[in-house]
Amino acid sequence: MLSDRLSLIKPSPTIAVTTKAAELKAAGHDVIGLGAGEPDFDTPEHIKQAATEAMAANKTRYTAVDGIPELKQAICDKFQRDNNITCTPSMVTVGTGGKQVLYNALMATVNPGDEVIIPAPYWVSYPDMVLLAEGKPVFVDCPQSVGFKLTAEALEAAITPKTKWLILNSPSNPTGAGYSADDLKALAEVLRRHNHVYILVDDMYEYLTYGDFKFATLAEVAPDLQERTLTSNGVSKSYCMTGWRIGFATGPQPLIKAIAKIQSQSTSNPNSVAQYAALAALNGPLDFIAENLKAFDRRRQLVVNGLNAIDGISCAMPDGAFYVYPNIAGIIGRKTPDGTVLSDDSAFVSYLLEAAGVACVQGVAFGLSPHFRISYATSDANLQTSLDRISEAVSKLS
Ligand code: GLU
């Protein structure tokens, strides 16, 4: 009954871990979920209020397939204000989460055998989306030693005549590594030499950056590449709106139209009420984000320091997002009290869930081992307890 296509992909591992943690909790187990990549803060009141008002005003019917005009204009204003990217509403698309925008973009452009360069570690869904579009993911290893970032040399070496897209995500899920303006300029130099390559930019964590890191995006530092760039973003992470499912992007008009064509034959418009909520978010105050950032930054330090104090774990300090991606090379090969050898990061993550009641995501899901991902978008108390439990579980290994 099932298609051959289905066998190309697996269920999203981040969602699988989140679901498993929720099930264990519901069954009465003491599990702390550090798998889900979503803020623990509530959607701000003014945004929920806008949704309530939209419902009261019966803004509950179909809208334009790829977004209401007011929201598209607010998105243009956002790109101009934050990123110095000039666009018109006809160069903007709105979808059901950033995920749908990326999926549609790939479905609209990738021919069988087209190559898509994906720096690893990567967000779990990029390769599977490429496979569904019958493309070929081309992974480029970007280990901790190069700051988990794609270098100009590595990009140059990965490009072939079949390359359709390069996917760039900064700050990165799962590492939190951020590309500086200079990093992006170096990549732009390479991209200029290969004008058949399009660039799919995922800026979902734009507002979530820490310390001295200054966010930049490709179309901002290389305006000449704007016509080959799809710059995507969304309200999920910055505005604590994961469940509302609103993502957006700007790019060349033919691509934006193609994305709408696919959307018209699958989901139609993103949820109408959620679009009005997103409109209030984009046009509204940003001060609450600064408050949330203080908490995220405190947790970032807590988690990085706590992990580095554990024998066998080495954790880089992320520039942004709310993930850390610790290296566990020092743990691989150790034995659990019941004699199981922890031969890879999946085994380690299973051990943490069983022995410590802490749910994390295995590095292999993100394409770079031996690592695991922790989302620190949860309370300080949960994080401290998790660190204590991980430390104790690791101390029991021999
Ligand atoms: N993007 C989040 C994560 O990486 C949410 C789950 C998903 O869509 O992957 O955890």
Side-chain angles (χ1 to χ4, degrees), residues 12 14-15 35-37 99 123-125 173 205 237 323 373:
S12 163
T14 48
I15 293 179
K99 216 172 205 173
W123 177 45
V124 295
S125 291
N173 175 2
Y205 297 92
K237 316 288 183 176
Y323 307 108
R373 189 189 81 172

Side-chain angles (χ1 to χ4, degrees), residues 5-27:
R5 184 181 306 112
L6 195 72
S7 67
L8 300 173
I9 62 160
K10 58 196 174 311
S12 163
T14 48
I15 293 179
V17 168
T18 311
T19 309
K20 185 162 184 195
E23 280 168 6
L24 286 169
K25 258 194 251 175

Side-chain angles (χ1 to χ4, degrees), residues 332-394:
I332 299 302
R334 291 193 200 171
K335 257 193 209 155
T336 67
D338 72 5
T340 309
V341 177
L342 297 180
S343 54
D344 55 29
D345 49 37
S346 298
F348 178 68
V349 162
S350 299
Y351 173 65
L352 285 188
L353 186 58
E354 279 157 34
V358 177
C360 308
V361 189
Q362 61 281 11
V364 67
F366 305 94
L368 189 81
S369 294
H371 285 263
F372 69 111
R373 189 189 81 172
I374 284 180
S375 162
Y376 54 86
T378 187
S379 70
D380 295 43
N382 267 349
L383 292 170
Q384 190 55 60
T385 308
S386 303
L387 289 166
D388 294 344
R389 290 187 188 181
I390 295 172
S391 175
E392 203 196 324
V394 170

